[in-house]
């Protein structure tokens, strides 16, 4: 089965108009805003240009990226949840089962003389999630990961994205 994906693209914030859906009550022509930003230890502030919401058979993923893939400035913050995650405050510990399956931060690095995008996997963290209709609001998150030099970095920020901006099933 293919995963469902939704992506927003724009310089700062992306606005969309909801289309009427006979299965859900009308919300009028309301605009939703997808947004993600974070502060990261010893790095420039993160402001997403693109936010992707995807689902598989058992997981829901949110990926917020900044800059263009292929550039030295390209960065991504990833959240992977159990598909049935509920609103609330959730904690994450690497290797421990829970509604958050993974947190990570991807950035450009030079490792062993090779230029790569390095995946800084989350070690521990927490977030407050609100799910309203098809919108996911990570009101606040903070997590610690290790960079390519094995130094701990901390990411703190927020994300909001909605699948209501597209014709996703």
């Amino acid at each position: 089965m293919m995963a469902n994906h939704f992506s927003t693209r724009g310089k700062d914030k992306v606005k969309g108009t909801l289309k009427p859906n006979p299965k859900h009550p009308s919300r009028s022509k309301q605009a939703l805003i997808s947004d993600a930003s974070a502060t990261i230890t010893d790095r420039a502030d993160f402001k997403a240009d693109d936010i992707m919401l995807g689902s598989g058979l058992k997981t829901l993923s949110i990926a917020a990226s900044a800059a263009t893939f292929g550039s030295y400035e390209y960065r991504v913050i990833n959240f992977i949840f159990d598909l049935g995650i509920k609103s609330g405050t959730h904690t994450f510990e690497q290797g421990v089962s829970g509604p958050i399956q993974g947190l990570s931060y991807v950035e450009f690095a030079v490792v062993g003389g090779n230029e790569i995008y390095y995946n800084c996997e989350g070690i521990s963290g927490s977030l407050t999630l609100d799910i309203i209709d098809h919108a996911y609001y990570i009101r606040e998150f903070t997590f610690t990961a290790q960079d390519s030099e094995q130094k701990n970095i901390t990411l703190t920020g927020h994300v909001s994205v909605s699948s209501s901006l597209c014709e996703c099933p």
Side-chain angles (χ1 to χ4, degrees):
M1 177 179 272
M2 295 286 293
N4 297 318
H5 295 283
F6 167 68
S7 177
T8 64
R9 186 167 284 289
K11 285 212 179 236
D12 287 34
K13 295 183 180 184
V14 178
K15 297 179 184 180
T17 303
L18 296 175
K19 294 182 180 177
N21 184 335
K23 295 180 183 177
H24 301 295
S26 173
R27 295 187 204 158
S28 72
K29 292 189 178 178
Q30 169 187 11
L32 296 178
I33 298 192
S34 293
D35 180 47
S37 63
T39 58
I40 305 167
T41 305
D42 298 327
R43 282 139 176 93
D45 286 350
F46 180 95
K47 181 70 175 157
D49 296 322
D50 190 29
I51 304 171
M52 183 183 295
L53 173 64
S55 65
L57 294 175
K58 297 181 180 181
T59 60
L60 172 77
S61 62
I62 298 172
S65 63
T68 303
F69 182 78
S71 71
Y72 293 119
E73 296 81 24
Y74 181 73
R75 304 183 290 166
V76 181
I77 300 174
N78 293 298
F79 304 86
I80 302 173
F81 305 121
D82 284 339
L83 193 56
I85 194 167
K86 304 286 185 213
S87 293
T89 299
H90 303 281
T91 58
F92 170 78
E93 292 291 330
Q94 190 176 48
V96 176
S97 181
I100 302 173
Q101 291 190 6
L103 303 170
S104 68
Y105 169 68
V106 176
E107 66 181 357
F108 173 80
V110 177
V111 177
N114 297 309
E115 295 181 340
I116 64 169
Y117 288 120
Y118 187 81
N119 186 35
C120 308
E121 292 191 37
I123 299 166
S124 64
S126 64
L127 58 83
T128 300
L129 175 68
D130 289 333
I131 303 169
I132 303 168
D133 294 327
H134 298 285
Y136 296 84
Y137 302 98
I138 301 173
R139 298 285 181 207
E140 58 184 28
F141 70 84
T142 186
F143 70 91
T144 301
Q146 269 192 349
D147 68 11
S148 62
E149 297 175 352
Q150 306 308 304
K151 294 179 183 171
N152 283 355
I153 58 173
T154 300
L155 295 88
T156 303
H158 73 275
V159 177
S160 60
V161 64
S162 171
S163 64
S164 297
L165 296 174
C166 70
E167 297 294 329
C168 298

